[in-house]
Amino acid sequence: MPSGLIIKALSGFYYVLPEDEHNMISIQCRARGIFKKRGESPLVGDRVKYELTENGEGTVDEILPRISELVRPPIANVELAVLVFAVQEPALNLQLLDKFLVHTESSGLHTIICLTKQDLIEEVPCPVVSLEEESAINLLEEKDIPQTMQEVVRMYEAIGYQVVVTSAKLGIGIETVLDRLAGHISVFAGQSGVGKSSLLNAMVPGLQLETNQISMKLGRGKHTTRHVELIRLHNGGLVADTPGFSSLDFLQVKEAEDLSDSFKEFRSYAAHCKFRGCLHLHEPECKVIEATKEGHIAPSRYKHYLHFLGEIKERKRRY
């Protein structure tokens, strides 16, 4: 039985790229009813075994073991996440970026932070983060919020993330991102309107994904991508352009105690807290709190951690 890779799922059909196919011609397949009985569903990114039918289409018979699985977006076998956030239009939302990072860390993915629309930043440094929003949500003082693109880059690079500043319009940073994606299944994720489709169009000449301008009234983009699909790169990489969304739940983080591990700069300090299972709230001899006070952990990251912890506790209280 031949095997292949699901590169698109749409309206009940799965488009399978055969393993030995060099022309990127996919086969339209249906999934066997046995999957529904088991409560399973094939996902884009799944390696599957399939059987050809008389009409030239096929049926998916078996899903091969997955190395990873994302709930939102629904995609399997992703190795790398590219979190795409604009430096302007819409303003950079660090709380949402940190929420995405919790999502990718808890899913065991390598992560690149890609800051788009560099061409919109003037030579004179200007705030790229929504200061009013950050202060209101997290009770942060202005001095504790990184305000320029350079400060944001330094903060996340110090944590250990690769940060790439790009401009699809000027062709800046495109090759750096492409080099990192070579040979991997990757997912592009981020808010609507941040330039994911524009970036992919710059990376894959002739792709022509639909893009939309930002709604100036609402400060956010319209949803232009409506399904998950793997796009082939010239260097052997496959990348999913996913539907934009502005909120995430914490499905991967089952317990409040697990959240700390998704903040990678917390780990070395949390290992030395006095109490096992320390939540880093107000416990005595908490090394994470000490590190934050001493400036080793960014105040915005710690405040976001507390905010997310509250969300997880509220979710558990409701259910």
Side-chain angles (χ1 to χ4, degrees):
M1 191 178 292
S3 57
L5 177 75
I6 297 177
I7 60 171
K8 181 168 70 171
L10 186 64
S11 302
F13 288 102
Y14 300 94
Y15 296 84
V16 178
L17 184 69
E19 265 188 359
D20 58 353
E21 179 61 69
H22 300 292
N23 297 321
M24 285 300 288
I25 300 173
S26 59
I27 298 167
Q28 181 173 283
C29 298
R30 290 279 192 185
R32 286 209 181 277
I34 189 68
F35 294 117
K36 191 171 185 179
K37 291 178 182 178
R38 294 175 185 162
E40 298 175 359
S41 180
L43 296 174
V44 169
D46 269 329
R47 292 177 174 88
V48 299
K49 289 190 178 295
Y50 66 95
E51 186 175 0
L52 290 174
T53 55
E54 292 179 358
N55 62 357
E57 297 186 350
T59 55
V60 175
D61 290 327
E62 181 184 350
I63 301 171
L64 299 178
R66 295 167 176 162
I67 62 169
S68 67
E69 179 182 343
L70 294 181
V71 176
R72 188 190 294 177
I75 186 169
N77 296 317
V78 174
E79 303 160 87
L80 179 68
V82 182
L83 302 186
V84 186
F85 279 73
V87 293
Q88 286 290 342
E89 296 183 16
L92 186 53
N93 184 333
L94 291 184
Q95 186 197 34
L96 184 58
L97 173 53
D98 285 341
K99 205 167 194 178
F100 271 88
L101 287 170
V102 168
H103 196 63
T104 59
E105 287 289 333
S106 60
S107 301
L109 302 179
H110 297 290
T111 307
I112 301 173
I113 298 170
C114 182
L115 301 180
T116 62
K117 305 187 183 181
Q118 189 267 349
D119 49 283
L120 295 180
I121 298 295
E122 298 175 356
E123 290 185 8
V124 179
C126 62
V128 298
V129 178
S130 176
L131 303 181
E132 183 178 343
E133 182 178 290
E134 282 288 331
S135 300
I137 294 175
N138 302 300
L139 304 177
L140 281 167
E141 297 179 27
E142 191 168 311
K143 66 180 178 62
D144 292 329
I145 304 170
Q147 296 183 31
T148 66
M149 183 179 68
Q150 291 78 10
E151 289 174 357
V152 172
V153 170
R154 282 196 296 269
M155 182 175 80
Y156 285 98
E157 285 184 339
I159 294 169
Y161 291 108
Q162 180 181 2
V163 184
V164 183
V165 179
T166 69
S167 167
K169 184 177 180 180
L170 301 178
I172 296 169
I174 307 301
E175 286 300 321
T176 302
V177 178
L178 268 172
D179 289 346
R180 185 67 180 85
L181 303 182
H184 299 291
I185 294 181
S186 308
V187 59
F188 273 41
Q191 276 177 291
S192 299
V194 295
K196 296 191 301 298
S197 296
S198 295
L199 188 61
L200 281 167
N201 286 338
M203 292 166 59
V204 186
L207 185 62
Q208 297 181 335
L209 289 175
E210 181 187 356
T211 61
N212 263 334
Q213 297 296 318
I214 292 293
S215 163
M216 298 309 293
K217 182 177 180 182
L218 299 176
R220 61 176 180 260
K222 298 177 182 178
H223 295 270
T224 54
T225 311
R226 294 174 179 84
H227 62 274
V228 180
E229 180 175 356
L230 289 176
I231 298 163
R232 190 183 191 187
L233 305 176
H234 66 77
N235 56 18
L238 289 160
V239 61
D241 181 26
T242 62
F245 44 88
S246 57
S247 63
L248 285 171
D249 45 33
F250 289 106
L251 292 177
Q252 275 86 359
V253 184
K254 303 299 183 186
E255 302 293 338
E257 293 83 355
D258 298 331
L259 178 64
S260 172
D261 197 52
S262 295
F263 282 72
K264 61 194 301 182
E265 73 272 40
F266 285 19
R267 294 169 190 165
S268 60
Y269 299 108
H272 300 287
C273 288
K274 181 177 181 180
F275 297 103
R276 196 174 174 183
C278 181
L279 292 180
H280 320 306
L281 284 168
H282 40 61
E283 298 89 339
E285 297 184 44
C286 170
K287 299 304 178 184
V288 170
I289 294 174
E290 289 178 14
T292 304
K293 289 178 179 177
E294 292 168 4
H296 303 305
I297 292 174
S300 64
R301 289 277 290 173
Y302 179 68
K303 285 288 187 180
H304 293 159
Y305 165 79
L306 295 180
H307 187 76
F308 301 157
L309 190 65
E311 283 189 36
I312 292 169
K313 287 183 172 182
E314 178 63 20
R315 183 194 67 188
K316 289 198 73 173
R317 187 187 67 79
R318 287 200 309 268
Y319 298 106

